Amino acid sequence: MTACTDSGGDTSAPPTGEPSVTSAPTVGPSTSDPLVTVPASSTSPDEPADPDTLAAVEAALAAAPAGCDPLDTRQCLLPFPSDATTSTDPIAATGRRIAFPADAMPANADGVPIDPTAWNRNDGFSPNTTVLTYVADLDPDASMLPSWTDLGASLDADATVVMVDIGTGERIPLWAEPDVRAADPAERLLVIHPAISLSPATTYAVGLQHLVDHTGATIDAAATFRVYRDRLTTELAPVERRRGDMERAFAALTIGGVERSDLQLAWTFTTISTENLHDTVLHMRGDTLRGLGTASPEFAITSVTENPRDGLARLVEGTFSVPNWLAGEGGPGAVLDDPDGVGGPEPPRLNGVVQAPFACTVATEVLAGDAPARAVVYGHGLLGSHLEVTAGNIVDMSNEHNALYCATKWAGFSDDDVGTAVTALQDLSNFPALVDGMLQGFMHQLVLGRLMLADNGLVSEPEFQRTDGSALFDNSTIVYDGNSQGGIMGLALIGLSTDIRRATLGVVGMNYSVLLPRSVDFEAYEQILIPSYPSALDRAIGIAAVQMLWDRGDGAGYVRHIVDDPLPGTPPNDVLMHVAFGDWQVSELTAMIAARTMGIGIHRPVTADDRSREVEPGWGIDSIDGGDTSGLVIFDSGSDPIPIEQTAPRTSRDPHEDPRADPDVRRQKAAFLFDGELVDVCGAAPCTADVS
């Protein structure tokens, strides 16, 4: 069976992609310049492939089922992502459509391959993708793989792993590492992480050069790649159809400073368009909020608890109605109510309403005071609940800074959804249900905001009024505060909300495919994934692939539209990101990816001189200055630095909850949320947090 048939893309006239919709950060990609053009003469092979090379190419084609990429025959989707696993689609904004072959997807222990239907609705790959390929007997140390500790070196001419925007030849900062979680070297992939979120609808070329094996010898390029690199003719249609794309890759890599003759492997991939990524959720938002106008949703207060804990005068709980976009009764595990099936031309449809829970806390000082409190929407942590709003740090924040917090569950990613997550880990075909639930969860958060803003909403109830009838809180505006998952999901919410203008995001990151291997939180869930997908190689591919869907519900999919270039009908926002140095749960690396992409500044000094593993702490991120209205601040409470390799921290102690528990951190949050000021609470020194 031959590989890479017509699903390999139209290489004679490749899609050019849309103009970039976001101003790129200094180190980031740009699509504003003309595409790299390749002279016709350079695409012509110079000589026929010798018989041995031809035989090796034919063997690679035979080993790769139709629709796979024969450049890396270790598994169909390798190298990942690759334009070889797309088809042409003139209707799509990118001109492409994902075309994962159903019969060649990774299979679970029951022999069930991942159903690619949901993936194949995408018109490109995730802009937050992890890039994977297999390099046999790679010596990562001798090959001098670029490290996150020195991202600037990844842009050097002799960097062994390179990524370029194929339209401009601009280099993308990145780091590369072996998958140390794979015990078997035969399953240990080379893992490449872009250090920014990539531009939408843009084609990138990846190039490997100067890699060596454990004997110190330069690793030979595979025959299929050599016929492109060395311009050898094959007369094999699947190979020749791709030659134009490969030549464009070589041209872009050359502009990026890489010699064609030094390459051991190169390929291209194209990122998803903004339209394809966000049209569904924007449709849902539009109809959800249009139905409300300025009025409150229907709601009911179901319980009021007086003095439930020190500092908290009142806990008010209830339910409110949210338009339901999920099938059936809209419970956990339901998918969007799609009249055409996944990928059909019609958007999901409304399916009645569901009841969402809410909890609001009235702090002791708020109830005793005279001035209306400031209204805050709170986002809870990993697979948690709305009752996290009663946590000590939230109560302290409310008492210290006259704030009233309300929260609902992150539908799709709350304690109700643990079973859905387990089902998805047992068979990744079920992952779309998790993401669809998260999209419904955004609607819950948006409607909660309207419940707090509307004059006939919560503010009209006696539980939120003083004895003289005055309101306990100011319902003219709302802000957002979230921690951990609430910070990660908060990135997405504020990129989508039409009501929120400022958000503080505690111990925040983005891009779950990067976060999971570096988080202790993943350990328990990985014990479900490992027996379901015994191959470490398949697990790595699976985690990378689900990011293509997760972008719709992960902050990483919205990060380019928060501070600048907002989504249609959405205002720009200011964000304050707080990070715990050495965090065991949410890696600081991913928060810095977000900051680079948004173009916001970082507090300097980032850390004390002897603390960071980075050659230049906060590389590629400007320093916060007096005029900045958004920023990233890293708080150090003395925990060990994170490991260099792709694994979770396990030494000293977890500082994850330290920043939110520190009064100075809360003072900075309050000044930002309520006064729009980004104040320095660290005295121009490295920021520290008390141990909680």
Side-chain angles (χ1 to χ4, degrees):
M1 181 180 293
T2 58
C4 303
T5 58
D6 289 340
S7 65
D10 181 0
T11 57
S12 62
T16 60
E18 64 182 16
S20 175
V21 294
T22 301
S23 298
T26 303
V27 298
S30 168
T31 56
S32 59
D33 294 335
L35 289 174
V36 170
T37 56
V38 181
S41 60
S42 70
T43 65
S44 302
D46 292 337
E47 61 183 64
D50 62 85
D52 289 344
T53 297
L54 192 60
V57 173
E58 290 173 334
L61 294 174
C68 302
D69 191 340
L71 287 178
D72 183 347
T73 59
R74 190 67 180 78
Q75 204 279 341
C76 176
L77 299 188
L78 294 176
F80 180 89
S82 171
D83 282 334
T85 53
T86 67
S87 60
T88 55
D89 184 348
I91 298 176
T94 63
R96 297 187 185 271
R97 187 71 58 185
I98 302 301
F100 290 159
D103 59 351
M105 299 291 286
N108 66 9
D110 294 328
V112 180
I114 299 171
D115 179 356
T117 303
W119 282 263
N120 288 350
R121 68 174 289 203
N122 286 18
D123 66 1
F125 296 94
S126 168
N128 308 290
T129 191
T130 295
V131 179
L132 305 170
T133 193
Y134 179 72
V135 182
D137 199 31
L138 173 68
D139 186 330
D141 295 328
S143 294
M144 300 181 66
L145 297 179
S147 170
W148 62 262
T149 63
D150 189 7
L151 290 171
S154 73
L155 304 180
D156 291 346
D158 60 352
T160 53
V161 181
V162 176
M163 185 182 298
V164 299
D165 179 332
I166 205 169
T168 64
E170 289 184 83
R171 295 275 292 273
I172 308 302
L174 56 83
W175 77 93
E177 56 197 358
D179 182 8
V180 296
R181 301 163 74 85
D184 184 352
E187 295 193 335
R188 192 171 299 145
L189 295 176
L190 174 62
V191 185
I192 304 165
H193 302 286
I196 59 167
S197 181
L198 302 174
S199 295
T202 301
T203 300
Y204 294 89
V206 181
L208 310 181
Q209 62 176 348
H210 310 310
L211 300 179
V212 299
D213 63 22
H214 285 88
T215 71
T218 300
I219 295 173
D220 292 332
T224 309
F225 177 69
R226 284 193 290 106
V227 300
Y228 295 121
R229 184 194 65 189
D230 300 342
R231 298 190 177 97
L232 306 177
T233 186
T234 66
E235 298 185 0
L236 296 170
V239 172
E240 299 308 319
R241 272 195 293 268
R242 194 177 183 183
R243 194 173 291 275
D245 270 351
M246 294 298 291
E247 287 297 331
R248 274 175 284 273
F250 292 134
L253 287 163
T254 299
I255 292 172
V258 180
E259 293 291 335
R260 178 177 183 139
S261 60
D262 290 335
L263 285 164
Q264 294 154 302
L265 182 63
W267 73 96
T268 66
F269 68 91
T270 301
T271 52
I272 192 172
S273 68
T274 300
E275 298 92 329
N276 187 276
L277 183 56
H278 294 304
D279 274 357
T280 294
V281 73
L282 290 176
H283 169 79
M284 293 167 63
R285 181 192 72 179
D287 279 8
T288 294
L289 297 183
R290 193 176 301 114
L292 285 176
T294 59
S296 169
E298 293 185 2
F299 70 98
I301 293 175
T302 58
S303 72
V304 179
T305 306
E306 302 292 342
N307 302 308
R309 60 168 296 168
D310 289 346
L312 187 56
R314 183 177 298 157
L315 170 64
V316 182
E317 297 179 71
T319 61
F320 61 103
S321 297
V322 183
N324 176 35
W325 293 91
L326 300 175
E329 297 181 357
V335 296
L336 291 174
D337 194 10
D338 188 346
D340 297 312
V342 175
E346 295 299 321
R349 59 190 171 193
L350 279 170
N351 180 28
V353 298
V354 292
Q355 297 302 308
F358 73 84
C360 299
T361 52
V362 180
T364 302
E365 295 298 323
V366 168
L367 189 61
D370 297 323
R374 280 72 70 96
V376 185
V377 175
Y378 181 71
H380 65 71
L382 179 64
L383 294 167
S385 87
H386 56 307
L387 294 178
E388 187 179 305
V389 77
T390 65
N393 68 93
I394 300 300
V395 174
D396 289 342
M397 177 79 174
S398 300
N399 279 307
E400 293 163 1
H401 301 288
N402 193 30
L404 188 144
Y405 276 70
C406 292
T408 187
K409 287 190 176 186
W410 278 110
F413 223 174
S414 75
D415 54 3
D416 294 334
D417 303 287
V418 172
T420 305
V422 169
T423 300
L425 292 170
Q426 292 170 333
D427 180 356
L428 293 175
S429 303
N430 297 314
F431 200 84
L434 190 67
V435 175
D436 286 358
M438 294 164 76
L439 297 188
Q440 176 67 33
F442 291 144
M443 302 305 110
H444 294 204
Q445 300 288 346
L446 296 175
V447 175
L448 173 65
R450 293 297 170 92
L451 180 62
M452 299 177 72
L453 287 167
D455 288 340
N456 65 335
L458 295 178
V459 75
S460 67
E461 294 296 308
E463 291 81 1
F464 295 95
Q465 296 173 351
R466 295 187 172 86
T467 55
D468 62 0
S470 63
L472 282 173
F473 70 95
D474 177 3
N475 70 321
S476 65
T477 187
I478 55 174
V479 293
Y480 179 83
D481 184 15
N483 285 300
S484 196
Q485 179 189 291
I488 297 167
M489 299 286 287
L491 277 169
L493 177 64
I494 60 175
L496 186 63
S497 174
T498 59
D499 297 322
I500 296 170
R501 299 295 186 275
R502 288 193 292 274
T504 53
L505 307 171
V507 283
V508 62
M510 57 172 248
N511 190 346
Y512 278 100
S513 61
V514 177
L515 280 171
L516 293 183
R518 286 184 151 85
S519 174
V520 295
D521 292 331
F522 187 51
E523 290 178 348
Y525 293 95
E526 194 173 30
Q527 297 313 304
I528 301 167
L529 182 65
I530 289 173
S532 300
Y533 292 88
S535 165
L537 184 147
D538 284 350
R539 292 196 299 273
I541 294 172
I543 290 173
V546 297
Q547 189 65 49
M548 296 171 62
L549 307 184
W550 221 333
D551 278 343
R552 301 177 190 276
D554 179 0
Y558 297 78
V559 70
R560 283 187 166 270
H561 307 290
I562 293 172
V563 175
D564 294 309
D565 188 41
L567 292 170
T570 313
N573 295 276
D574 289 319
V575 295
L576 174 59
M577 303 169 65
H578 284 159
V579 170
F581 181 82
D583 198 323
W584 288 20
Q585 299 180 53
V586 181
S587 175
E588 63 209 56
L589 299 180
T590 61
M592 287 192 274
I593 292 174
R596 280 186 208 99
T597 305
M598 289 188 285
I600 68 175
I602 192 170
H603 174 85
R604 282 193 167 85
V606 175
T607 63
D609 290 342
D610 61 344
R611 295 289 287 153
S612 177
R613 295 187 187 275
E614 292 184 272
V615 172
E616 182 184 336
W619 179 90
I621 308 174
D622 290 337
S623 298
I624 293 174
D625 63 34
D628 283 348
T629 55
S630 292
L632 166 65
V633 185
I634 294 180
F635 289 91
D636 187 349
S637 53
S639 292
D640 288 349
I642 61 173
I644 292 176
E645 62 270 16
Q646 184 180 246
T647 189
R650 300 181 187 281
T651 60
S652 67
R653 57 177 294 279
D654 184 5
H656 187 66
E657 297 191 6
D658 293 346
R660 73 189 87 171
D662 189 288
D664 288 333
V665 177
R666 295 195 295 268
R667 180 164 60 89
Q668 186 178 58
K669 286 171 58 173
F672 175 80
L673 287 174
F674 307 137
D675 301 322
E677 298 177 0
L678 186 51
V679 300
D680 180 4
V681 296
C682 308
C687 289
T688 59
D690 297 335
V691 174
S692 60

